[in-house]
Amino acid sequence: MGRHVPFTGDEKESLWASLQRQRDVTLGKLEGLDDEQVRRAVVPSGTNLLGLVKHLAAVEYSWFCETFGRETEPLPFDPEDENADLRVRPDETTADIVAFHGRARAAVDKVIGELGLADTGTAWSGETVTLRWLLIHMIEETARHAGHMDVLRELIDGATGDPPSR
């Protein structure tokens, strides 16, 4: 992936670029795999590459858009199933999930572009949070799952690195 955090960027530019880079890395982990492979659970928890992309899209939409009072499409959360957003339904295709991720990314980028780092919103928990905090949180969340995806991808086809090497 060619995107890098600028060496001399300001704080918002640097945080945003870091989030964009991690998003690119997670999508890159799907490259070259077929539908069965991106859905394959190779760890006991059942976690799979496509489910992680779905999860990351849903939490970005929720954290940024809902926190700052913006519209979202229906999100795959279920109070009865805390992991519903990690599961890919049989009727969802890889293209569906990647498109969902793209729509979430565009909506979130609009929020980031319109707000300042010190602007505040109300999180799902009722806490007041800044855009700065959300950017840091989503960089952490996305990088954490990118690491999971590194391991899953290696177990699926042996590919390692960024982007996956063959």
Side-chain angles (χ1 to χ4, degrees), residues 23-99:
R23 290 166 166 168
D24 291 347
V25 167
T26 60
L27 287 177
K29 292 299 174 180
L30 304 180
E31 290 178 8
L33 298 178
D34 63 30
D35 194 58
E36 183 278 325
Q37 290 171 309
V38 297
R39 293 169 180 266
R40 187 183 303 165
V42 293
V43 292
S45 67
T47 302
N48 63 65
L49 294 169
L50 196 57
L52 286 169
V53 170
K54 181 179 179 179
H55 165 75
L56 288 168
V59 297
E60 274 203 43
Y61 246 147
S62 178
W63 272 113
F64 286 91
C65 294
E66 291 180 350
T67 296
F68 290 104
R70 309 296 173 90
E71 293 288 321
T72 70
E73 60 190 272
L75 300 177
F77 298 118
D78 180 348
E80 309 277 322
D81 178 5
E82 68 179 22
N83 292 316
D85 60 308
L86 284 160
R87 293 193 221 318
V88 179
R89 297 184 323 264
D91 66 313
E92 291 178 303
T93 67
T94 300
D96 292 338
I97 301 295
V98 171

Side-chain angles (χ1 to χ4, degrees), residues 12-25:
K12 183 176 178 181
E13 177 185 18
S14 297
L15 290 169
W16 198 353
S18 181
L19 178 59
Q20 290 170 329
R21 172 152 171 66
Q22 293 304 316
R23 290 166 166 168
D24 291 347
V25 167

